[in-house]
Amino acid sequence: MDQEKIIELTDREAIRDCLYRYCRGIDRADEAALRSSYWPDAQDNHGAYCGSADGFIRFALAVFETGPRNIHQIANILIEFTSRAEATVESYFTALQRGPDNDGEIRQTLLCGRYCDLFQKREGQWRIAERTVVYDWCEEQTPPAVAEAERFGPRRPIGAPYPHDPVYALGKRGVHVAV
């Protein structure tokens, strides 16, 4: 395999890894993971928020203070390189979001759509430079009436925000996988 193809494959994997870090960051309220997904000068149009990525991150973290539960999944990642340092990336997402509305009533929403991203490679790293979220499906759902402890029953542990989610304990144990 030639060197150009190897570089392209590693670049594709770096872009995918960035998308997955974003999902962890948004679901676990992990500010460092969110910030590592965007360039500091990035722009984000999430519909409910449009502006700097920094502003979006502050907006999202403020939502987490209300104790929501989020699950984001990414699929159908199509990466098209426009140069060695730029790529347009379309990623399908499914997101289940639950939390209080402005009146404190718990709401649950299923969202499906696409992240339409401009990725840039700077100093060897791929991150989002521009993001537009395109919504293809939105469904308001009736949230479960029972408390989480009752609903989950013996299924433990339950996912939690940073740094309390079990995934963060793995890194503290010093577990390393040889490549």
Side-chain angles (χ1 to χ4, degrees):
M1 186 177 293
D2 70 16
Q3 189 64 25
E4 285 295 316
K5 194 63 173 170
I6 292 170
I7 291 170
E8 180 183 318
L9 289 171
T10 58
D11 285 346
R12 286 180 183 279
E13 194 58 28
I15 289 169
R16 284 186 196 96
D17 189 62
C18 182
L19 290 165
Y20 300 146
R21 274 195 325 274
Y22 169 83
C23 288
R24 175 183 283 177
I26 203 71
D27 289 344
R28 303 277 69 88
D30 183 337
E31 183 174 0
L34 277 174
R35 290 199 183 280
S36 75
S37 303
Y38 290 97
W39 289 112
D41 60 343
Q43 295 295 303
D44 191 296
N45 179 356
H46 251 78
Y49 173 87
C50 185
S52 70
D54 179 66
F56 170 72
I57 292 166
R58 285 185 277 120
F59 170 81
L61 292 174
V63 171
F64 281 106
E65 293 174 5
T66 65
R69 181 163 299 281
N70 294 308
I71 299 172
H72 287 71
Q73 296 178 337
I74 297 269
N76 300 355
I77 302 169
L78 182 60
I79 301 167
E80 297 175 357
F81 292 99
T82 56
S83 73
R84 288 183 173 189
E86 203 165 82
T88 58
V89 181
E90 178 187 43
S91 309
Y92 284 66
F93 72 86
T94 302
L96 182 62
Q97 299 176 333
R98 196 178 84 222
D101 63 12
N102 292 335
D103 298 325
E105 188 173 333
I106 299 297
R107 299 280 184 206
Q108 183 168 298
T109 306
L110 173 66
L111 299 167
C112 299
R114 293 165 286 130
Y115 297 126
C116 297
D117 296 327
L118 175 66
F119 269 77
Q120 292 179 341
K121 186 178 188 179
R122 303 179 192 171
E123 299 176 13
Q125 290 186 24
W126 285 96
R127 295 185 188 185
I128 301 163
E130 294 177 26
R131 168 165 280 180
T132 298
V133 180
V134 177
Y135 295 95
D136 294 313
W137 186 264
C138 179
E139 181 179 296
E140 295 293 329
Q141 300 177 338
T142 303
V146 298
E148 280 192 345
E150 182 180 342
R151 194 165 35 109
F152 281 85
R155 295 172 193 91
R156 302 275 189 244
I158 298 172
Y162 174 85
H164 307 290
D165 193 85
V167 73
Y168 298 103
L170 292 173
K172 290 179 183 175
R173 290 185 2 207
V175 176
H176 298 285
V177 177
V179 179

